[in-house]
Amino acid sequence: MDEPAEIGRRVQQLRTSGGMTQRQLAEPAYSAAYISTLESGRVRPSETALRFLATRLGTTYEELATGRPAHLATELRLALTDAQRTLATGAADEAAEHYRRLLAEAERLDLLAERAEALLGLGDCALESGELTAARGHFAAAETLLAGEPLPRRARAIRGRAVAHLLAGELRYSCYLLESTIEELEARGLADPEALVMLYAAVISPYIDMGAHARATHAAETALALAPQVTDPALVAGMHRQVARTFLAEGRTADADASLAKAQSMYRQLRLATDLAHCHWMRGYVKAQSGELDAAEAELRTARSMLAARRAALYTAQVEVELADVLRRLGRHGEAAELLSAVLDLDDRHGAVHAGGAHRLLGLMAEERGEVEAAEEHYVRALALLERSGATGDLADLCRLLGDLLRRTGRTEAALDAYRTGLGHRAAIGTTTLGPAPPAPC
């Protein structure tokens, strides 16, 4: 919004050119004295007042507040919708080019809302391409731009940052961002259904990975209860996809598959390719958990192919870890090892949970070949990655594997240490996000 003097001159110019007196412009909501004070630049009008005056003067709020024709912002918003469609149906790098051009245009026109939307789009593109540091930067910049807006308007930026930290294996900080935002929304009485569903759905994954199953279930139940009030079908589909994880954790495989089928149907109608690939990925995981390995392989290969076609490198690598587990269970160790060797660079950059999973699988296969030293090395590397991420359930299971290996090779004390480590993490389920805020990861 421009300075009061500029807005006042604009109001006066439009009023006089329209042949209106100050009283005619003001009534019935305001007084002639208020219009006089406004036109002299001695008061900053509220948004409500400007919207009323814009209607009376036959113009738009944007033009009255900024002097820019409204069609410029409208055209930019349409172009942002096109960029969003490119991200949904094309490759992330192509969409990012669109968003960068639109960000520059929004900055030139000083359109705050459109700048924030372009930054959010760039953050989504960076998430898909696995550029997690860049993603955090874009989401943080959008959040800063929207600092003066109500908290629900900032929810998407906060969720984006939380997802970036989650993908980097920083589970505890991801939970903190989401939990603190939910608490603030509820404490302020800002019960915005779309913002809450977005945040509750996003917190399910880190809860599950941390072993906080009761919290994940509560988040899923809350999101499901709020879903009828949400009008965005993509948001509802994403909620169903995340809720499936809680069903699976409870052993409700049929419910998990049904929830994923709902999400898949909605994503197909909306032509959201990456999200559809994630449904295939999750259904593959469900099939693997229920022992349907051939069906699991088919779903995971479909997900891998779709994500690779979109050049979503990080997601593709994560699917390959889970596909490798299925191949190992099918006895195809060579294929599994080949897949895993391509994703081990995840531990240098991001994806600590899946990199830890890759080392765990390589350790299992080495142990099955009788290569004890190689197995132990992979287990220890996996342990370091999972300890950093806070993936409690996976960490406890890995400590069991390492303890069993050490016990079989006669190192009883070392085995006991490994078991104690696993038991300690298992005992802490659901408590790791309590207490003071964790430090932000570097």
Side-chain angles (χ1 to χ4, degrees):
M1 185 183 293
D2 285 342
E3 290 302 310
E6 294 177 30
I7 295 171
R9 282 195 296 272
R10 202 172 292 134
V11 170
Q12 184 180 41
Q13 190 175 50
L14 288 168
R15 178 181 63 77
T16 55
S17 65
M20 300 175 73
T21 66
Q22 290 179 337
R23 184 174 299 280
Q24 286 171 330
L25 175 59
E27 292 179 344
Y30 298 93
S31 67
Y34 175 74
I35 299 300
S36 176
T37 305
L38 188 155
E39 289 184 348
S40 66
R42 297 198 304 271
V43 64
R44 177 176 289 278
S46 67
E47 181 180 335
T48 301
L50 279 185
R51 290 193 181 279
F52 169 81
L53 295 174
T55 302
R56 300 282 288 151
L57 293 166
T59 185
T60 64
Y61 165 76
E62 289 83 0
E63 189 160 1
L64 200 56
T66 66
R68 290 186 300 269
H71 72 85
L72 293 177
T74 301
E75 289 170 3
L76 194 54
R77 283 193 288 270
L78 289 171
L80 284 164
T81 301
D82 288 340
Q84 188 177 28
R85 190 176 300 113
T86 300
L87 178 59
T89 59
D93 52 358
E94 296 168 9
E97 280 299 316
H98 291 184
Y99 278 120
R100 276 190 283 271
R101 288 197 297 271
L102 296 172
L103 177 60
E105 182 67 6
E107 287 173 342
R108 185 181 70 80
L109 295 172
D110 195 26
L111 294 170
L112 185 146
E114 287 71 22
R115 284 171 63 193
E117 190 63 31
L119 285 165
L120 290 169
L122 283 169
D124 288 335
C125 291
L127 281 183
E128 183 157 325
S129 58
E131 299 165 6
L132 302 183
T133 301
R136 287 197 296 268
H138 292 313
F139 288 124
E143 193 178 344
T144 300
L145 275 180
L146 298 171
E149 297 290 318
L151 185 55
R153 283 276 289 121
R154 288 179 272 135
R156 185 176 157 203
I158 296 167
R159 174 197 172 275
R161 278 206 296 136
V163 171
H165 284 292
L166 172 64
L167 291 172
E170 295 149 359
L171 276 61
R172 186 167 181 257
Y173 194 72
S174 176
C175 276
Y176 163 71
L177 287 175
L178 296 165
E179 284 180 336
S180 58
T181 307
I182 290 168
E183 287 171 8
E184 190 176 350
L185 279 170
E186 294 177 340
R188 291 187 185 181
L190 300 171
D192 183 286
E194 298 216 346
L196 286 170
V197 167
M198 180 191 305
L199 296 166
Y200 273 117
V203 83
I204 289 171
S205 282
Y207 276 159
I208 293 288
D209 288 340
M210 291 167 60
H213 298 298
R215 292 188 183 189
T217 298
H218 170 72
E221 289 171 348
T222 306
L224 284 167
L226 290 167
Q229 302 174 58
V230 175
T231 57
D232 182 356
L235 184 54
V236 174
M239 185 254 332
H240 281 299
R241 197 178 86 210
Q242 294 299 331
V243 165
R245 291 203 68 184
T246 67
F247 289 147
L248 190 60
E250 295 167 3
R252 297 162 59 184
T253 306
D255 288 334
D257 205 42
S259 191
L260 286 169
K262 286 181 192 175
Q264 206 164 15
S265 174
M266 296 169 80
Y267 285 141
R268 194 173 286 114
Q269 289 175 20
L270 295 167
R271 298 176 64 193
L272 298 177
T274 298
D275 294 300
L276 185 58
H278 279 262
C279 278
H280 284 291
W281 176 3
M282 189 63 189
R283 292 191 89 173
Y285 182 75
V286 171
K287 297 294 184 187
Q289 292 300 301
S290 60
E292 301 174 58
L293 299 183
D294 290 332
E297 181 186 357
E299 292 282 6
L300 291 170
R301 287 196 182 279
T302 298
R304 180 192 182 207
S305 176
M306 292 173 71
L307 291 167
R310 296 175 58 76
R311 300 192 283 279
L314 176 58
Y315 290 136
T316 303
Q318 291 177 336
V319 170
E320 287 173 342
V321 173
E322 297 191 17
L323 176 58
D325 185 33
V326 170
L327 294 172
R328 181 191 70 83
R329 291 166 64 186
L330 285 167
R332 292 150 62 185
H333 288 199
E335 292 177 61
E338 187 176 343
L339 273 179
L340 292 170
S341 64
V343 301
L344 289 182
D345 63 336
L346 284 175
D347 45 343
D348 295 326
R349 297 179 292 120
H350 41 231
V353 174
H354 280 79
H359 279 293
R360 174 186 176 279
L361 288 175
L362 287 167
L364 280 169
M365 289 189 290
E367 197 171 353
E368 287 164 357
R369 294 193 302 269
E371 299 171 6
V372 174
E373 288 185 6
E376 184 177 347
E377 181 182 344
H378 283 299
Y379 289 154
V380 169
R381 291 182 68 181
L383 188 63
L385 287 161
L386 294 175
E387 281 186 318
R388 179 171 71 80
S389 72
T392 309
D394 289 345
L395 191 53
D397 182 63
L398 181 65
C399 287
R400 178 187 59 79
L401 288 172
L402 179 58
D404 288 350
L405 176 66
L406 294 169
R407 181 173 53 80
R408 283 196 298 272
T409 55
R411 287 171 286 173
T412 306
E413 285 301 320
L416 286 171
D417 285 342
Y419 290 140
R420 289 189 195 102
T421 300
L423 285 170
H425 284 286
R426 180 63 70 185
I429 285 177
T431 64
T432 51
T433 57
L434 296 178
C442 298

